Amino acid sequence: MSPAASGRLRARDLDRANASSVLDAAYAEGQLGADEYRDRTAKAEVARTIADLDRLTSDLQLPSAVRDLVPGAPTPTRNPLRRSGNTGRYPDHTRARDADRDTTRQLLDSARSDGQLTEEEHQALSELAESATTLGDLGDLVDDLQRPDDAPAAPRPPHSNRRRWYRAAVSTAAVGAAVIAFVLTSGVSDPEPAPRAAPVVDLGSVRPVVVATPNLLTRDGITLFLQRYKEKFGDLQADQLTVFDEYVHVTRALPGQPNRQANYDYRGGFEQSGAISGRKADKPAVDLGELNIAAISDVLASASTRLKVPNGVPTHMGVEVNDSGSTSYYGIGKDKSYIEIYAGNKFNESGRLLLTPAGEVVRAWPFEG
């Protein structure tokens, strides 16, 4: 049967449980964040076809113990973006493990010690390695470096042990991986041991326990975010900031490299999103330390009323600099920071407020129903 035809086959409970086991193992290795792990596991539980399950695991490095549980395992491929002769490696879009990030940091440490990198370059690249999502992201950080002769090889897909593993791994590896994932995602120091005879089809019920964080569009949420931001980057400079109730998207210059910028998503922690790109070295940045959090949070709380949005709530807030080249943006001078607050409701009725960093409302665009 062709791969295309097999992908249309209906999934069994066993197939869904096997896919969940692979996701458990990938989460334990650091290939998936808590949100992604939770989302993919939920989708695996209700997947209708083999193709649906394949899409949930096709970008993962699969440990040998669970590789044969899912038919859509990645196969070795030559990576054209890397040095010639490196064959049999995972594609660049494959998720990186914690072990891969550690290996990259070791290569960066070696490059710093032998003079290939400055201290600032080493610090910036090490931070990017910590938040890298894929093997391609990690490869970009070290692709121009000379490497020690004893440098670890790139990760390769494990050899298939289908006949030997298939019967045993369904019950043993799946239970082990699920227990590891539960321990890592729960706040309980001494979780109850898994039942010895737990059926494989029940493994999908394991869920990470996520500690609640404040709404980021409130005074507590903004204050916590800025505290974490300072801890992460050592300053409060940013090119652009978009704040939603549950996450923040940030664009900022790389430390020590004003001509390069990176994007980060914050969901309790920072994770790089997308590739590093060019940046004007003299581009003005927002000083988040100048934001009047009390005044801004008061405007957020009253935004729906000010904007006449029926049953509305604040949806997001943008912070950036007026560097469009014009002398003014509705009274905001060139190279000056400003804030825009948006409110809306389920009927897509919305409005917008323009503020200074001090929290002063400069202009309003209310909903006109």
Side-chain angles (χ1 to χ4, degrees):
M1 182 178 297
S2 69
S6 64
R8 291 195 297 268
L9 291 176
R10 294 296 187 102
R12 304 166 297 174
D13 286 340
L14 178 62
D15 301 319
R16 285 182 279 269
N18 289 345
S20 294
S21 299
V22 173
L23 295 171
D24 292 339
Y27 179 81
E29 291 185 340
Q31 297 186 57
L32 297 173
D35 289 341
E36 289 180 302
Y37 166 71
R38 189 167 59 249
D39 179 64
R40 293 195 189 195
T41 303
K43 290 179 179 177
E45 286 185 346
V46 297
R48 299 295 300 276
T49 68
I50 294 296
D52 292 337
L53 294 174
D54 286 350
R55 282 190 287 271
L56 299 174
T57 59
S58 61
D59 64 339
L60 301 176
Q61 297 183 58
L62 303 183
S64 299
V66 296
R67 180 178 188 272
D68 294 320
L69 298 183
V70 173
T75 55
T77 182
R78 184 178 184 277
N79 185 339
L81 301 179
R82 298 295 180 263
R83 298 172 183 175
S84 61
N86 286 335
T87 59
R89 296 173 18 158
Y90 282 108
D92 276 357
H93 68 269
T94 305
R95 292 303 184 101
R97 304 166 298 173
D98 288 336
D100 303 319
R101 286 181 276 269
D102 288 340
T103 297
T104 301
R105 285 193 290 266
Q106 293 172 20
L107 291 173
L108 294 171
D109 291 344
S110 176
R112 173 68 185 103
S113 65
D114 65 16
Q116 295 186 64
L117 297 174
T118 66
E119 183 61 36
E120 289 182 340
E121 289 173 327
H122 174 263
Q123 179 180 351
L125 294 173
S126 296
E127 289 180 355
L128 292 173
E130 181 179 351
S131 59
T133 301
T134 68
L135 294 179
D137 293 337
L138 292 176
D140 288 340
L141 300 178
V142 297
D143 206 36
D144 62 345
L145 299 179
Q146 299 185 51
R147 310 186 190 194
D149 293 336
D150 59 350
R156 286 175 166 78
H159 294 294
S160 174
N161 295 302
R162 182 176 302 276
R163 292 185 180 180
R164 182 161 56 93
W165 277 104
Y166 187 80
R167 297 178 184 276
V170 170
S171 56
T172 58
V175 171
V179 171
I180 292 172
F182 177 79
V183 172
L184 290 175
T185 56
S186 69
V188 183
S189 58
D190 295 311
E192 296 183 3
R196 288 182 297 174
V200 136
V201 294
D202 291 336
L203 293 176
S205 61
V206 176
R207 285 290 183 274
V209 177
V210 179
V211 178
T213 57
N215 182 328
L216 293 167
L217 291 172
T218 63
R219 183 178 305 191
D220 289 344
I222 298 172
T223 300
L224 176 63
F225 168 75
L226 292 180
Q227 176 185 335
R228 298 281 174 81
Y229 191 92
K230 182 68 176 293
E231 293 171 354
K232 170 67 177 179
F233 299 107
D235 61 40
L236 289 172
Q237 302 296 304
D239 288 349
Q240 191 272 341
L241 197 73
T242 305
V243 184
F244 298 88
D245 59 350
E246 293 185 345
Y247 75 97
V248 181
H249 181 75
V250 181
T251 302
R252 61 164 289 139
L254 295 182
Q257 299 185 63
N259 62 330
R260 296 285 183 270
Q261 68 180 24
N263 297 311
Y264 300 87
D265 288 331
Y266 170 83
R267 290 181 172 85
F270 290 89
E271 181 175 349
Q272 184 191 349
S273 61
I276 299 171
S277 58
R279 176 186 186 275
K280 291 183 179 179
D282 59 352
K283 177 182 174 69
V286 176
D287 184 355
L288 300 175
E290 294 183 352
L291 301 182
N292 186 333
I293 305 304
I296 294 170
S297 60
D298 287 344
V299 175
L300 279 164
S302 62
S304 297
T305 301
R306 289 172 181 256
L307 294 171
K308 302 178 181 178
V309 179
N311 299 315
V313 296
T315 57
H316 61 288
M317 175 178 73
V319 185
E320 56 186 303
V321 172
N322 173 26
D323 63 346
S324 61
S326 63
T327 58
S328 175
Y329 176 64
Y330 297 106
I332 303 296
K334 187 178 185 303
D335 294 342
K336 298 297 183 180
S337 302
Y338 65 91
I339 301 166
E340 291 182 303
I341 292 176
Y342 297 78
N345 60 23
K346 65 180 181 179
F347 302 108
N348 293 323
E349 298 167 343
S350 63
R352 173 167 60 106
L353 293 165
L354 177 66
L355 288 71
T356 67
E360 176 189 357
V361 177
V362 176
R363 181 162 178 169
W365 291 264
F367 169 69
E368 298 179 357

